[in-house]
Amino acid sequence: MFKKLLASVGIGAAKVDTILETEHLHPGQKFQAQIVVLGGDVEQEISGLELALMTKVKVEGENGEYYASQVIEKWRVGSQFTIAPGEKKVIPFEARLHSETPITEINAPYNHSYVWLETGLDIDLALDPSDKDLLHIYPNEAVKNCLLAMEKLGFRMVKADVERGYLKASNFQSVSGCYQEIEYRPASTSLFGLQEVELSFVPEAHRTHVLIELDRAFRGDGYVDLTIEHDHVNLSQLCDQLERLFA
């Protein structure tokens, strides 16, 4: 009985570990994993498993800015089962990353973009033991070429972070509840009259939308946008498109 009580508050309880086939992924990419559940000191009823795709978001609060963890997407895995003391169960799992998963692998001096998978056991009357697996998220070809175009136009990346909220333009809007901002500043003084440019990407299956915030010295902030078709990614054309938008 004493061991059962301890297990009910998470002491000597079952543990979970998610083993990913690879931690290096792109937004919208399928991934495979094995969820390993190891029994504790006593037999336990497991109500189910949950996997959550998580990120850290910047939130505007009454007392200023702060960072909080946010769920991008959540998956329920399997149904109720019993695990015996010391028993090992391996559950295969496959899913697709949300297309709006923030990019972590970018060359920003101040990169506050983090993405991870969190796995938890839903155990009745128990604390929720969890396992966290950090992910390395790379840009798709459209985003990669857009970032290269910014460099070619004389801008340097200075910061990247993820904010809570939604993006909306005339022909697209985000759905994940958070969005990434990648901040650029001109390498030379007053390039196109711009002090700062912030890019946010909303990828879809066959195209990537880009919302661009422009901060000009004498005209304040403004927004422009463009859409990059995945089968027509061209660095030179992107440079021309951005140059026209900035002019």
Side-chain angles (χ1 to χ4, degrees):
M1 173 61 80
F2 182 62
K3 282 188 176 181
K4 287 186 177 179
L5 287 173
L6 288 176
S8 74
V9 293
I11 302 169
K15 293 179 173 60
V16 63
D17 184 27
T18 296
I19 302 169
L20 292 160
E21 189 175 276
T22 178
E23 299 88 9
H24 300 267
L25 299 160
H26 292 82
Q29 183 179 338
K30 273 188 177 180
F31 67 94
Q32 289 81 34
Q34 288 188 332
I35 303 168
V36 180
V37 185
L38 187 63
D41 295 335
V42 296
E43 183 179 276
Q44 283 181 277
E45 290 292 325
I46 308 297
S47 300
L49 289 164
E50 282 190 342
L51 264 74
L53 180 65
M54 306 287 295
T55 190
K56 187 177 286 188
V57 295
K58 186 169 71 176
V59 183
E60 300 283 348
E62 291 182 2
N63 300 317
E65 296 177 349
Y66 65 94
Y67 284 90
S69 296
Q70 179 154 322
V71 177
I72 302 172
E73 193 161 10
K74 188 180 284 188
W75 301 276
R76 183 78 173 172
V77 184
S79 55
Q80 182 172 327
F81 62 92
T82 301
I83 188 154
E87 183 185 1
K88 180 179 178 181
K89 284 186 180 290
V90 179
I91 303 165
F93 178 76
E94 180 179 276
R96 187 181 296 275
L97 286 187
H98 199 290
S99 62
E100 294 175 20
T101 302
I103 301 157
T104 64
E105 305 308 299
I106 46 178
N107 192 26
Y110 300 97
N111 185 2
H112 301 287
S113 306
Y114 305 96
V115 174
W116 67 95
L117 274 177
E118 192 162 318
T119 314
L121 291 171
D122 185 356
I123 304 173
D124 292 336
L125 303 175
L127 294 177
D128 188 13
S130 61
D131 171 58
K132 294 182 180 180
D133 295 278
L134 198 65
L135 299 180
H136 304 276
I137 309 297
Y138 296 83
N140 65 27
E141 284 302 308
V143 173
K144 189 189 300 181
N145 276 272
C146 199
L147 302 183
L148 284 172
M150 289 295 291
E151 289 182 20
K152 284 187 170 292
L153 292 176
F155 290 89
R156 57 185 176 86
M157 190 187 297
V158 294
K159 189 174 73 172
D161 59 20
V162 183
E163 299 202 9
R164 180 174 289 169
Y166 296 88
L167 298 174
K168 188 171 184 179
S170 58
N171 63 329
F172 66 89
Q173 63 182 37
S174 64
V175 296
S176 68
C178 61
Y179 59 90
Q180 188 171 33
E181 284 190 339
I182 301 174
E183 182 182 316
Y184 283 87
R185 290 180 189 163
S188 57
T189 306
S190 298
L191 187 68
F192 304 107
L194 293 167
Q195 293 182 313
E196 189 177 281
V197 177
E198 289 182 344
L199 304 183
S200 294
F201 298 97
V202 182
E204 295 178 355
H206 305 295
R207 63 184 64 83
T208 293
H209 305 290
V210 192
L211 186 65
I212 306 168
E213 183 177 355
L214 305 174
D215 181 6
R216 300 185 190 274
F218 303 106
R219 290 159 54 185
D221 294 353
Y223 290 89
V224 293
D225 62 82
L226 68 99
T227 296
I228 306 167
E229 300 293 337
H230 290 174
D231 55 355
H232 289 94
V233 178
N234 182 286
L235 179 58
S236 178
Q237 287 179 2
L238 268 174
C239 288
D240 292 342
Q241 283 180 286
L242 290 171
E243 211 164 15
R244 285 194 295 271
L245 290 171
F246 296 165

